Amino acid sequence: VDASFVPRVAERFAKAGGIEVLQRTAGDEWAVLRTLDQDGTNTARTRGAGVKGVVGVDAEGKTLFLVDNADRDKSALLAVDLASGASRVLAEDPDADIRPITVLDRLTGNVLGVSSYFGEIRRHHVDATLADDFKELERLTGSSVGVVRIAAADPAWLVVPMDGRNLRFQVYDRESRELKPLFPLQATIDSNALVARSARIVEARDGLRLPCQLYLPTGTDQNKDGTPDAPLPTLLYVHGGPHIPNPWDSWFTNRNLQL
């Protein structure tokens, strides 16, 4: 829907598989705008998961934003003109899919930025004027950050550090560039020794670059170079993320395991 709550686009399952993106016509009919092939990474159609999907429309209902990997190796963020059907690439990453989780301006509906995951979160700023704010947030928190329902014109943002520990909501004052703590997502575990994660890229024997997340037990990296001071028992956990922290990561490291 646009800013006036007028339905502009919709999704439905196609008979042959995949998702049909429908556009509302002037005659109040629905026509197929494009078809997204079946996304095997998101069979449950969880919003924001997978490697393709509709992101939204702008406030005027003229532009559709979606993530798709049709005719390309990695998914990209596209802007589709609903009048002509023409599309253009707004963001892409040579190493990873653009995630269909975008930073939308809550006032204009325009995409401010998107992210991809390759070991760590990579920010792609569609609105380049916000790059300094995100750079400052990363300096203040020591990690990438998530934002909640922001606008480019907002004087303050609700932010969440994405360092692998318990999610902690904070207010970022864009003028003073200060952070004010609010509350943790899971207060019952916030007092425990939860460790942060760091990104690593491991090259396989065939040259394939594998993105990894490294969790180290507290006190095992005294010189802060991101590697343990001495060899540790290691647990290799093959997964499809993590996009959010999991308490069991620290459960393993608290037992002196490198994860």
Side-chain angles (χ1 to χ4, degrees), residues 166 168 184 186-194 254:
N166 189 18
R168 305 173 305 283
Q186 296 172 297
T188 55
I189 67 171
D190 199 46
S191 60
N192 293 282
L194 303 180
N254 287 346

Side-chain angles (χ1 to χ4, degrees), residues 133-148:
D133 285 296
F134 279 96
K135 185 177 181 180
E136 179 64 13
L137 282 167
E138 291 176 0
R139 185 191 71 80
L140 291 171
T141 63
S143 70
S144 298
V145 296
V147 293
V148 183

Side-chain angles (χ1 to χ4, degrees), residues 28-80:
D28 210 23
E29 300 289 336
W30 291 92
V32 177
L33 179 64
R34 64 192 297 155
T35 299
L36 307 179
D37 292 337
Q38 182 64 46
D39 185 353
T41 68
N42 187 21
T43 54
R45 292 299 299 162
T46 303
R47 183 170 179 78
V51 297
K52 61 184 70 178
V54 171
V55 172
V57 296
D58 66 352
E60 297 179 346
K62 295 181 178 180
T63 304
L64 165 68
F65 302 105
L66 60 83
V67 171
D68 194 11
N69 62 357
D71 301 320
R72 54 188 303 123
D73 181 53
K74 304 289 190 301
S75 290
L77 173 68
L78 308 176
V80 181

Side-chain angles (χ1 to χ4, degrees), residues 73-150:
D73 181 53
K74 304 289 190 301
S75 290
L77 173 68
L78 308 176
V80 181
D81 184 280
L82 290 176
S84 65
S87 64
R88 56 191 176 94
V89 175
L90 296 181
E92 57 187 337
D93 189 314
D95 296 316
D97 295 298
I98 295 295
R99 303 161 63 214
I101 305 176
T102 61
V103 180
L104 289 174
D105 191 301
R106 62 182 180 81
L107 300 177
T108 67
N110 291 325
V111 176
L112 301 176
V114 290
S115 62
S116 56
Y117 254 110
F118 196 75
E120 59 185 356
I121 296 177
R122 294 179 176 179
R123 288 283 178 193
H124 305 271
H125 301 289
V126 179
D127 185 339
T129 64
L130 305 184
D132 286 344
D133 285 296
F134 279 96
K135 185 177 181 180
E136 179 64 13
L137 282 167
E138 291 176 0
R139 185 191 71 80
L140 291 171
T141 63
S143 70
S144 298
V145 296
V147 293
V148 183
R149 291 281 295 169
I150 69 169

Side-chain angles (χ1 to χ4, degrees), residues 176-245:
S176 66
R177 302 222 161 178
E178 294 178 342
L179 279 173
K180 177 183 178 182
L182 290 179
F183 56 87
L185 180 64
Q186 296 172 297
T188 55
I189 67 171
D190 199 46
S191 60
N192 293 282
L194 303 180
V195 297
R197 67 190 178 204
S198 59
R200 292 289 184 274
I201 305 299
V202 177
E203 186 170 313
R205 285 177 293 180
D206 61 359
L208 181 65
R209 297 164 64 226
L210 302 174
C212 302
Q213 300 282 343
L214 178 64
Y215 292 80
L216 293 176
T218 302
T220 60
D221 179 21
Q222 295 295 331
N223 60 3
K224 306 299 182 182
D225 66 352
T227 58
D229 301 325
L232 291 171
T234 301
L235 177 64
L236 179 63
Y237 173 34
V238 181
H239 55 78
H243 300 168
I244 59 175

